[in-house]
Amino acid sequence: MRLVLLGPPGAGKGTQAAILSEKLGVPHISTGDLFRKNIGEGTPLGVEAKGYIDAGKLVPTDVTARMVESRLAEDDAVDGFLLDGFPRTVEQADLLTEILRKKDVALDGVVQFKVSEDVVVERMLARGRADDNEDTIRTRMKVYRDETAPLIDHYGDKIIAIEAEGSVEEINERTMTALGK
Ligand code: AMP
């Protein structure tokens, strides 16, 4: 399956993606994880991305889309993938459609994790990542509302909405059911 996972920061996309990846047998491709790996290794891409990530802002689309395209070209992503954190804007969604069109494939669906803002802030403060301080969280929530939430309308009937409050297992079961698995 070729799926995009959509939801505000702190919605639990990464946690669900790891479980779904195992159950569905497709790789979990997280742009945030790819950036953090590059930052850890001190690559030019990491150096370029770090300032944006620390500020809670989006890394420029050309850099991000190139990173995603090369990851999707790897062997393990040929038959399916879970994209976590990309696309984050309508512009990125159009680029993704183009990347997939070149491969003659398309998305099967876009899983939208629905969760209230209170729960999201609570979860983010609990995980304690470097970019999880209160100012950055507020910026990322605003970026989500302004830039990413419009993707819900953009994807229209490709959206598979999941109520994402509750235990990790409950949310996973709801997702598997919604995917017909
Ligand atoms: P995440 O782990 O998905 O919360 O991403 C952490 C940070 O990486 C974000 O706050 C952005 O700075 C950057 N990032 C991740 N995905 C993207 C993307 N698709 N476009 C631009 N920046 C991104």
Side-chain angles (χ1 to χ4, degrees):
M1 293 192 98
R2 297 181 180 87
L3 298 172
V4 162
L5 307 184
L6 193 63
K13 294 189 296 294
T15 306
Q16 290 301 323
I19 305 172
L20 288 171
S21 163
E22 191 129 313
K23 291 193 176 174
L24 300 172
V26 293
H28 167 205
I29 301 177
S30 154
T31 44
D33 286 350
L34 288 172
F35 282 131
R36 283 184 286 274
K37 182 165 179 277
N38 276 277
I39 291 170
E41 293 170 353
T43 68
L45 175 73
V47 171
E48 181 167 5
K50 188 174 187 310
Y52 297 100
I53 293 176
D54 286 349
K57 296 186 176 155
L58 293 182
V59 177
T61 285
D62 57 335
V63 178
T64 310
R66 237 180 296 130
M67 178 176 79
V68 169
E69 184 161 20
S70 74
R71 179 63 187 86
L72 288 177
E74 289 178 33
D75 287 349
D76 65 341
V78 169
D79 292 329
F81 52 78
L82 296 172
L83 264 179
D84 164 12
F86 186 92
R88 254 176 160 91
T89 64
V90 171
E91 185 193 12
Q92 291 184 2
D94 289 338
L95 286 171
L96 177 61
T97 304
E98 201 43 49
I99 291 169
L100 297 178
R101 203 200 314 271
K102 281 192 259 171
K103 298 175 183 294
D104 231 0
V105 298
L107 290 176
D108 293 303
V110 176
V111 179
Q112 180 204 355
F113 292 106
K114 297 176 74 168
V115 45
S116 75
E117 198 156 317
D118 284 352
V119 170
V120 155
V121 172
E122 212 173 278
R123 284 187 189 165
M124 278 195 279
L125 288 172
R127 71 186 178 183
R129 216 169 67 188
D131 58 344
D132 279 345
N133 63 72
E134 221 174 310
D135 274 357
T136 314
I137 290 174
R138 213 167 286 132
T139 305
R140 280 152 60 208
M141 291 304 297
K142 182 171 164 38
V143 169
Y144 177 79
R145 276 194 302 268
D146 294 350
E147 310 241 20
T148 309
L151 288 176
I152 298 164
D153 279 345
H154 177 82
Y155 278 121
D157 59 11
K158 274 206 154 58
I159 294 281
I160 301 162
I162 307 291
E163 293 298 335
E165 292 182 26
S167 72
V168 169
E169 294 75 23
E170 277 166 358
I171 299 165
N172 175 253
E173 270 166 35
R174 274 178 222 147
T175 310
M176 291 298 283
T177 305
L179 291 173
K181 301 280 172 185

